[in-house]
Amino acid sequence: MTKPIILTGDRPTGKLHIGHYVGSLCNRVLLQNEGKHELFVFLADQQALTDHAKDPQTIVESIGNVTLDYLAAGLDPEKVTIFIQSQIPELSELSMYYMNLVSLGRLERNPTVKAEISQKGFGESIPTGFLVYPISQAADITAFKANYVPVGNDQKPMIEQTREIVRSFNHTYSTDVLVEPEGIYPENEAAGRLPGLDGNAKMSKSLNNGIYLADDADTLRKKVMSMYTDPNHIRVEDPGQIEGNMVFHYLDVFGRPEEAAEIAEMKEHYQRGGLGDVKTKRYLLEILERELGPIRERRLEFAKDMGEVYRILQEGSERAREVASQTLSEVKSAMGINYFK
Ligand code: TRP
C-alpha cells in the first residue's frame, strides 16, 4: 500500500523563529515520526525570488540556515525528502502548462497575493513572476501528487487555486493524472501564529521581535527579559493583566501539560498583585531554554559540516526530481505533447 503524500514548503528569506517551530516544524516532525505518510519538505527559493529578484543573496544564505533549522528541529532526511525548488526544473515546466488554464483576472483576485502586493508597495509595477506564483505553487504541489498540504491560513487561496487547476487540467485533457490536494490548517489562529516579543500579532524579521532557533542562550535571555508584559504593572504589588501579556501567552504555548496547574496559579497571583515580571520571565526562560537548548545544540553540531548539509539537499533534490519528472511525463502524455515517447 502506498502512503498518502504530504508536501509543504517555506520561502527561504531568513532563519526560522520559534513561531515557525510551534506553528509548523513541530507538526512536521510528529508526522514524520508517525510514519503514516510520505513527506516532502522544500525550500521555495524560486517563490522567494519573486519579490527578492534584486537581492538573491538573502535567499541563497537562507537555504543553508533554514535547512539547519529543519535538521535541528528534528526533520530526518532518512524519513523526509528535503529539496530545493529551483533544482527541480520540471516544476517550472509544469507551471508553463498550468498558466494557460488560469486567467489574469483570477490571479488578480487572489486575496493573499492582493494583500502582499499592497504590503510590498509594488503599486503599478507588479513583477509578473510574483503575480503568477500561485500557479507555480500549484506545480509544486501537483508534481508530487500531494494529498495533504499543511500550511497557514493565509495559504488557503493557494490551495483553492491548485484544486481549480487540477480540476481544469484533468477535465480539459480527459485524464486523472493530477491529484486534488487538501490543505491542513492550524486549528485556531492562536495555534497558527505566535505573536512577537513586543506583543505585535506577528513575529517577523522586519519587526525585529522574534526568537530564532539559532539564538544563543544569552540572546534568548535578553529577549525574554525584554518581553512585552503589562505596561500598567509598575510595582510588584500592583495587580497585573494576563491578556496581551506575552510572558503568559508564551507560557501557555511552551509549558508542558504537567506545568499547567503551576502556570494557572501564577496567573492568579499576577492578577491579584505581588508577582513581579522578573519572576515570570525567569520562569519562562527556564521553560524556553529546556525546549530550545537541545535544538540549538543540534543546530551547532550540523553547522560544523555544511558540506554534509548541502549533500542532504542535493540527494533530496535528486529524489524529488525523479518524482516530478514522472508526473511531468504523464502531464505531457495527457496533453499529447510527449512527441518522442
Ligand atoms: N507560499 C508558501 C509560504 O509562503 C510557501 C510555498 C511555496 C508552499 N510552495 C508551496 C507551501 C507548496 C506549501 C506547498 O509559506
Side-chain angles (χ1 to χ4, degrees):
M1 250 241 331
T2 58
K3 295 177 182 176
I5 296 165
I6 294 185
L7 170 133
T8 192
D10 299 292
R11 292 186 196 178
T13 55
K15 291 175 291 196
L16 299 184
H17 53 59
I18 61 173
H20 295 118
Y21 180 68
V22 292
S24 66
L25 276 183
C26 242
N27 189 41
R28 294 176 194 174
V29 175
L30 284 176
L31 288 165
Q32 157 194 289
N33 293 336
E34 265 177 19
K36 293 191 197 140
H37 300 88
E38 186 171 350
L39 254 77
F40 293 92
V41 175
F42 75 103
L43 299 146
D45 60 338
Q46 284 183 318
Q47 188 173 117
L49 283 165
T50 64
D51 66 341
H52 281 77
K54 298 189 177 125
D55 174 27
Q57 201 46 36
T58 300
I59 315 299
V60 172
E61 277 164 20
S62 301
I63 292 284
N65 271 317
V66 175
T67 308
L68 283 175
D69 292 329
Y70 285 170
L71 297 170
L75 284 186
D76 176 354
E78 299 285 322
K79 298 181 181 153
V80 178
T81 303
I82 305 175
F83 68 95
I84 307 177
Q85 187 185 32
S86 63
Q87 304 309 299
I88 322 293
E90 287 78 7
L91 299 177
S92 308
E93 213 176 321
L94 279 175
S95 304
M96 281 303 278
Y97 303 126
Y98 296 170
M99 277 191 230
N100 302 327
L101 301 172
V102 181
S103 75
L104 210 46
R106 174 68 183 82
L107 288 170
E108 284 164 347
R109 280 194 300 277
N110 183 310
T112 299
V113 172
K114 256 194 193 163
E116 286 174 311
I117 286 171
S118 78
Q119 274 161 26
K120 294 174 197 297
F122 285 144
E124 294 298 303
S125 320
I126 306 164
T128 308
F130 186 81
L131 192 64
V132 302
Y133 90 68
I135 298 179
S136 124
Q137 189 157 337
D140 302 335
I141 295 170
T142 54
F144 299 93
K145 303 195 177 178
N147 303 98
Y148 302 106
V149 185
V151 278
N153 287 315
D154 63 325
Q155 298 293 305
K156 273 185 189 162
M158 311 309 161
I159 305 297
E160 202 34 60
Q161 176 76 81
T162 302
R163 292 167 62 91
E164 280 175 36
I165 289 174
V166 168
R167 289 195 292 266
S168 172
F169 185 93
N170 286 348
H171 176 79
T172 304
Y173 303 108
S174 306
T175 178
D176 58 3
V177 291
L178 297 186
V179 173
E180 228 177 295
E182 262 173 64
I184 304 180
Y185 305 101
E187 269 148 44
N188 54 51
E189 197 56 40
R193 178 150 278 172
L194 188 72
L197 295 166
D198 55 358
N200 192 294
K202 204 175 151 187
M203 184 173 278
S204 85
K205 190 176 41 173
S206 51
L207 296 170
N208 191 23
N209 64 357
I211 295 174
Y212 292 84
L213 295 180
D215 283 349
D216 60 30
D218 195 46
T219 306
L220 175 65
R221 186 182 55 79
K222 284 187 185 132
K223 286 181 176 176
V224 170
M225 288 319 201
S226 77
M227 275 173 86
Y228 180 83
T229 58
D230 169 4
N232 299 316
H233 184 241
I234 296 165
R235 288 165 310 172
V236 173
E237 317 81 84
D238 292 340
Q241 254 204 317
I242 302 302
E243 296 77 34
N245 186 317
M246 289 305 108
V247 173
F248 288 103
H249 189 112
Y250 282 32
L251 281 174
D252 285 339
V253 175
F254 291 94
R256 293 189 180 166
E258 63 268 25
E259 283 149 357
E262 193 174 357
I263 293 169
E265 209 173 287
M266 284 178 81
K267 286 182 182 170
E268 269 178 45
H269 191 179
Y270 192 83
Q271 285 170 306
R272 222 172 37 238
L275 179 58
D277 282 329
V278 172
K279 275 210 176 129
T280 62
K281 285 176 173 174
R282 286 215 178 110
Y283 181 65
L284 173 63
L285 180 59
E286 244 174 68
I287 288 181
L288 285 178
E289 183 55 37
R290 175 189 72 205
E291 302 300 321
L292 303 176
I295 296 176
R296 178 196 306 131
E297 291 309 309
R298 272 201 301 274
R299 201 179 187 286
L300 286 170
E301 210 40 54
F302 281 112
K304 283 184 190 158
D305 189 356
M306 288 311 286
E308 175 60 17
V309 170
Y310 280 92
R311 262 192 302 282
I312 289 170
L313 288 170
Q314 189 175 356
E315 275 173 27
S317 298
E318 281 162 10
R319 213 176 325 151
R321 202 169 168 195
E322 280 171 29
V323 179
S325 93
Q326 173 62 32
T327 304
L328 176 64
S329 164
E330 290 168 18
V331 158
K332 288 167 90 171
S333 293
M335 296 173 71
I337 60 169
N338 232 353
Y339 305 113
F340 307 127
K341 278 251 159 106

